[in-house]
Amino acid sequence: MTVEALVKGWCPGALRPMESGDGLLVRIRITGGILKAEHAHVIAKSAMQYGNGLIDLSGRANLQIRGVSGSQWPHLIADLSHHGLLDDDAEAEAVRNVVASPLARLDPSAMLDIRPLVKALENRLVSDRALHALPGKFGFLVDDGGQFSLSDQNADIAFEALQENRTTYFVVRIGQDDTAGIIGIDSVCDTAAALAHAFIDASRASVKPYKRMVNWVADWGADRILKSVGIDTIAVRPRRSTDLSPFGFHALGESGFLGLGAPFGRWSANGLAALADIALAEGSGELRLTPWRAILIPGLHQTRAQTLIAKLGEGFISRADDPRLQIIACAGRPSCRNATVNTHQDALGFATLQNLMKKSGTRLHVSGCEKGCARPAATEAVLVGKNGVYDLVLNGKASDSPMMKGLDEAMARRTLEDLWAGEAK
């Protein structure tokens, strides 16, 4: 297989990379988000040697090496394979879309240690070749019921651990629907496979193939789908939620973990290597990747964590109230060929807006084009790059009709200031 023969526009991997504005995008899937510090060093070194030194942490807790040339890609793959960081083939790699609770085994409040279950689920997805027909973005989720709820994460098939009367079980949800079923711990892999097979069959039988589980749910309803694979549904159960932030220090028994982020999920290879150094010298020897684009360093004590925060500086995000967390920005120019604006540079400027922090949550989406890859959901304000300037969408998606057009960075800044100043009064 040659890089030139690869089709563009899918969910990339390492064995099937995607061409972007700065070269090949090589995505490495880490089982359960548990990354050994030694492997973090390998990835950081590879990013500098074969790429442009930039690494993205994706919303599915994967690492993406950027800027790899076609000639360097085979050498990168050889190195990653040598260190056990690759799948046997591109199809197996593509189907391993499993997001898991990032503190597996470490969180005393969790219902169970999900690490063996996550590994077993990945093995099932890889070994059952019929499941390789799933769409590239079709994803699974396993929540251990601990501190970090994954309820804000989009998943086609989600399992959430709960415990009642000293019995642990899993709630099953599909396509983000509130209708749920109940299964035992030992039934997760079989249930995931049954639902995935049923989805594939239903998609093939449909006039228009389904892209995601939410499309099938819209046609059939979650209750009917779950019952079709032998799962009885229960009364609608509220999704578990938490206000816990993955950033900063959190105690876990005698020690704890330090959560750090990089603006808009974009890390330098040196930054990742620095975290790996800390994990080896002072932590548990591993990093935990999260879908909130934070990297956790377990095994630290609070005093040492605070010293590290001061030493690492403002280049890292260590507080839940960091204004950069209220902005989502896609790769932008020059990383993406569709973008005509430097989204990251502009977003850093927008993070200094006076009234940005008057409300919590994501308030601004800076998108390089109308595709809105970084955030498919509606946002209070969306700046959409077009011909080097921005269109402004309010309370919508990047693909929606704008209320203003042709704003340069300074004009966009003033418009947002006026908008949020009025809300703050």
Side-chain angles (χ1 to χ4, degrees), residues 178-239:
D178 285 334
T179 302
I182 296 292
I183 63 169
I185 295 173
D186 296 334
S187 300
V188 168
C189 291
D190 287 342
T191 300
L195 285 167
H197 278 295
F199 171 87
I200 292 170
D201 291 341
S203 181
R204 286 172 176 165
S206 174
V207 174
K208 183 179 181 181
Y210 300 124
K211 293 183 178 180
R212 301 291 296 273
M213 181 65 83
V214 67
N215 306 123
W216 189 23
V217 169
D219 277 359
W220 279 39
D223 182 78
R224 179 184 173 188
I225 293 171
L226 290 169
K227 288 180 177 177
S228 74
V229 295
I231 300 175
D232 290 329
T233 56
I234 59 174
V236 174
R237 188 174 193 117
R239 300 186 188 202

Side-chain angles (χ1 to χ4, degrees), residues 6-78:
L6 297 176
V7 179
K8 303 175 180 63
W10 69 92
C11 198
L15 297 173
R16 187 176 287 157
M18 183 169 67
E19 187 76 43
S20 61
D22 54 356
L24 294 176
L25 184 65
V26 178
R27 178 177 294 175
I28 305 168
R29 289 173 168 84
I30 307 298
T31 298
I34 303 173
L35 180 64
K36 294 179 181 179
E38 294 89 345
H39 284 165
H41 274 301
V42 170
I43 294 171
K45 181 180 178 181
S46 296
M48 289 186 285
Q49 185 172 356
Y50 305 114
N52 59 13
L54 298 177
I55 302 169
D56 290 335
L57 176 57
S58 78
R60 289 190 175 180
N62 298 314
L63 292 176
Q64 302 178 156
I65 296 177
R66 302 199 65 95
V68 180
S69 68
S71 62
Q72 290 298 311
W73 176 67
H75 303 293
L76 168 62
I77 292 304

Side-chain angles (χ1 to χ4, degrees), residues 74-156:
H75 303 293
L76 168 62
I77 292 304
D79 270 7
L80 294 177
S81 179
H82 175 74
H83 290 93
L85 287 166
L86 295 182
D87 292 272
D88 291 337
D89 55 58
E91 289 71 26
E93 174 185 67
V95 80
R96 277 199 312 110
N97 284 329
V98 183
V99 174
S101 297
L103 291 177
R105 185 189 63 83
L106 304 176
D107 185 354
S109 68
M111 303 295 107
L112 76 165
D113 180 358
I114 60 171
R115 292 176 304 158
L117 193 155
V118 171
K119 185 61 178 176
L121 176 56
E122 286 194 343
N123 289 340
R124 181 66 170 271
L125 295 170
V126 170
S127 63
D128 189 339
R129 306 293 292 187
L131 296 180
H132 296 186
L134 288 169
K137 293 182 180 296
F138 196 97
F140 301 80
L141 180 153
V142 184
D143 187 328
D144 64 10
Q147 293 189 51
F148 287 125
S149 169
L150 297 176
S151 62
D152 63 340
Q153 299 300 305
N154 291 324
D156 295 275

Side-chain angles (χ1 to χ4, degrees), residues 152-390:
D152 63 340
Q153 299 300 305
N154 291 324
D156 295 275
I157 301 174
F159 301 95
E160 177 190 330
L162 290 178
Q163 196 171 73
E164 289 183 2
N165 300 322
R166 298 184 180 181
T167 299
T168 302
Y169 57 91
F170 277 95
V171 170
V172 187
R173 300 184 198 273
I174 55 175
Q176 301 300 109
D177 197 273
D178 285 334
T179 302
I182 296 292
I183 63 169
I185 295 173
D186 296 334
S187 300
V188 168
C189 291
D190 287 342
T191 300
L195 285 167
H197 278 295
F199 171 87
I200 292 170
D201 291 341
S203 181
R204 286 172 176 165
S206 174
V207 174
K208 183 179 181 181
Y210 300 124
K211 293 183 178 180
R212 301 291 296 273
M213 181 65 83
V214 67
N215 306 123
W216 189 23
V217 169
D219 277 359
W220 279 39
D223 182 78
R224 179 184 173 188
I225 293 171
L226 290 169
K227 288 180 177 177
S228 74
V229 295
I231 300 175
D232 290 329
T233 56
I234 59 174
V236 174
R237 188 174 193 117
R239 300 186 188 202
R240 192 173 66 90
S241 62
T242 177
D243 294 328
L244 184 66
S245 166
F247 300 95
F249 178 81
H250 298 270
L252 286 175
E254 294 183 358
S255 63
F257 67 88
L258 173 61
L260 296 168
F264 321 117
R266 174 69 54 81
W267 294 77
S268 69
N270 288 333
L272 180 63
L275 267 57
D277 287 339
I278 295 170
L280 282 171
E282 305 181 56
S284 64
E286 64 184 22
L287 302 175
R288 298 296 181 97
L289 311 179
T290 79
W292 308 286
R293 293 187 167 89
I295 298 180
L296 314 182
I297 312 175
L300 297 178
H301 292 275
Q302 183 170 9
T303 302
R304 184 54 184 154
Q306 296 303 325
T307 302
L308 289 170
I309 289 173
K311 181 179 179 180
L312 292 170
E314 290 298 317
F316 293 87
I317 295 174
S318 61
R319 306 187 327 271
D321 62 351
D322 191 302
R324 291 171 290 186
L325 294 176
Q326 292 192 275
I327 302 175
I328 288 180
C330 70
R333 185 178 60 86
S335 299
C336 177
R337 292 181 297 180
N338 293 323
T340 62
V341 289
N342 191 325
T343 54
H344 282 205
Q345 177 179 297
D346 292 345
L348 286 174
F350 297 140
T352 64
L353 290 170
Q354 184 175 0
N355 292 303
L356 175 65
M357 297 293 291
K358 293 293 184 180
K359 291 183 182 179
S360 60
T362 301
R363 301 196 68 191
L364 176 62
H365 175 193
V366 185
S367 182
C369 71
E370 65 274 8
K371 290 171 63 178
C373 298
R375 183 174 171 84
T379 310
E380 181 180 338
V382 188
L383 289 173
V384 184
K386 189 173 183 180
N387 299 324
V389 290
Y390 290 102

